[in-house]
Amino acid sequence: MIKPRSRRGGGRPTIADVARKAGVGAITVSRALREPERVSEDLRRQIQAAVDELGYLPDPNARALASARAEVFGVLVPSLTNSVFAEVLRGIYDSLSDSSFRIQLGNTHYSGLEEERLLQVFGPQRPAALIVAGIDQTPTSRRLLETAGCPVVQVMETGPDPVDMMVGFSHFDGGRAATEHMIEMGYHRVGFIGARMDPRSQRRLAGYRAAMEAAGLFDARLVTTTPVPSSVTLGRELFRDALAKAPTLDGVFCNNDDIALGVLFECHRASIAVPKTIGITGFNDLDMMEVAFPSVTSVRTPRYEIGRRSVAMALAAIAGKRPQEPVVDLGFELKRRESTAR
């Protein structure tokens, strides 16, 4: 039997050093670090105290060799500053905080080519799982995901053709529900204002159009969009453009909450009464929508839960307990507030 090697000359502490300090065997230390749920709480604390005192850092490369997979979750999102994806990431990090897995994060910047590049970087590192935002991968990215050899969870949307697993909601249904609500509240010249117009926003626009056409109210002049990244300031500018094209506009469904706030601020500046003259609905329901004056109707999306559920699905698949339903629709909630209470 080969004994675990200990450090010499005050070098980097080894697992043998931790075992001696904790008064247990090296195998027990390894199990506690790799699968803490298999070790009693008292023993975990004892070993963790030794790890902290010695400053021991597990070698991820050695672990990868032992398991043939790195103890890493690769996560790709289109933005690290967008509050929507920050909530998804918080759910992912919270779910893995007590596990042995680390997170390798990639920012695609809403670029299909950048997503391909990052997948080409992640793939050879043999991650334990991949969590990827969206369902509109390029053919190259989809092929890389299909051949990754690990569980793959696409998040923030649902669709009929998952690479492996999906968790999210229907942006089309969310857009349609928001528009139907405004029509029910008596708004008939409802415009759509959208920025960046990534595939998720395109589906919200399609939902808006479906609702307007069903009510016999669709008019292409009511749609104002731009590929420019979203901001509150841009929302003000786009609302001015929308009014110039359609002076009889009496409501707006915005593709996100930043744009909706910009519309609200421009209404205040121009002395346009909300909700009497103009109704406003946003999308995602960030915290500021409830505290705005008037409070703004928005489509609440389960971003944090999506992050948590994606990890749960991936961990189940890693453990050989793949979910029976590969696509999980967590739905959305229309939060009706003052901005549409005509």
Side-chain angles (χ1 to χ4, degrees):
M1 178 178 178
I2 300 175
K3 295 183 178 180
R5 184 179 57 185
S6 62
R7 60 176 173 164
R8 295 179 180 177
R12 177 176 173 175
T14 69
I15 199 167
D17 297 317
V18 175
R20 272 195 300 274
K21 190 74 178 177
V24 298
I27 292 177
T28 302
V29 173
S30 178
R31 182 182 298 117
L33 296 177
R34 290 169 55 85
E35 301 175 279
E37 68 280 0
R38 295 182 59 189
V39 178
S40 71
E41 185 175 348
D42 288 343
L43 192 53
R44 281 203 307 270
R45 289 177 180 172
Q46 181 180 334
I47 292 170
Q48 189 60 49
V51 167
D52 294 342
E53 183 175 342
L54 294 172
Y56 171 72
L57 294 174
D59 185 346
N61 293 323
R63 286 185 171 187
L65 286 173
S67 65
R69 282 279 162 192
E71 291 187 320
V72 171
F73 271 51
V75 180
L76 297 183
V77 294
S79 173
L80 298 180
T81 57
N82 187 317
S83 298
V84 172
F85 294 103
E87 280 292 288
V88 177
L89 290 175
R90 187 167 69 88
I92 293 171
Y93 274 90
D94 284 356
S95 296
L96 290 174
S97 62
D98 293 329
S99 77
S100 60
F101 293 101
R102 294 169 292 117
I103 295 171
Q104 184 173 4
L105 194 57
N107 183 355
T108 68
H109 300 283
Y110 294 91
S111 166
L113 292 178
E114 179 64 8
E115 184 175 63
E116 289 178 11
R117 189 189 72 80
L118 288 169
L119 287 172
Q120 288 166 349
V121 171
F122 282 18
Q125 298 176 22
R126 300 182 61 78
L130 288 168
I131 298 174
V132 184
I135 61 175
D136 296 280
Q137 282 76 31
T138 65
T140 297
S141 286
R142 185 172 180 98
R143 184 170 63 253
L144 289 168
L145 290 170
E146 289 173 340
T147 59
C150 67
V152 174
V153 187
Q154 294 163 284
V155 300
M156 290 302 289
E157 298 189 67
T158 56
D161 188 25
V163 170
D164 185 9
M165 296 174 284
M166 279 182 191
V167 56
F169 60 94
S170 169
H171 292 257
F172 176 90
D173 289 349
R176 181 171 58 188
T179 308
E180 288 174 345
H181 163 69
M182 299 194 74
I183 295 171
E184 290 168 1
M185 297 304 292
Y187 300 100
H188 296 119
R189 295 285 290 170
V190 180
F192 177 91
I193 298 180
R196 194 182 285 278
M197 298 310 295
D198 59 35
R200 287 171 290 279
S201 289
Q202 293 287 354
R203 284 186 262 280
R204 294 169 203 169
L205 171 57
Y208 155 85
R209 178 166 184 159
M212 291 293 282
E213 288 180 342
L217 299 173
F218 181 74
D219 180 345
R221 292 172 296 180
L222 295 172
V223 177
T224 304
T225 64
T226 177
V228 175
S230 181
S231 70
V232 175
T233 300
L234 182 61
R236 296 182 60 181
E237 297 170 358
L238 291 176
F239 181 58
R240 288 195 290 264
D241 292 344
L243 281 177
K245 289 194 305 179
T248 58
L249 193 74
D250 68 355
V252 288
F253 167 47
C254 305
N255 79 316
N256 63 48
D257 291 340
D258 287 348
I259 297 297
L261 277 183
V263 171
L264 178 64
F265 293 159
E266 181 60 19
C267 285
H268 289 333
R269 188 199 67 79
S271 298
I272 299 173
V274 178
K276 182 178 179 180
T277 304
I278 291 283
I280 305 171
T281 297
F283 201 98
N284 284 314
D285 196 36
L286 303 181
D287 290 345
M288 53 195 171
M289 306 307 277
E290 187 173 9
V291 299
F293 181 78
S295 58
V296 181
T297 296
S298 189
V299 177
R300 176 171 291 180
T301 56
R303 304 175 296 278
Y304 180 77
E305 180 59 26
I306 286 172
R308 290 190 66 89
R309 187 67 69 89
S310 67
V311 171
M313 294 170 75
L315 289 175
I318 291 170
K321 301 176 182 178
R322 185 173 294 275
Q324 290 185 346
E325 295 296 331
V327 179
V328 176
D329 188 343
L330 294 179
F332 55 84
E333 181 184 4
L334 180 65
K335 301 298 291 185
R336 298 169 174 83
R337 298 197 178 98
E338 295 168 339
S339 67
T340 55
R342 204 173 210 181

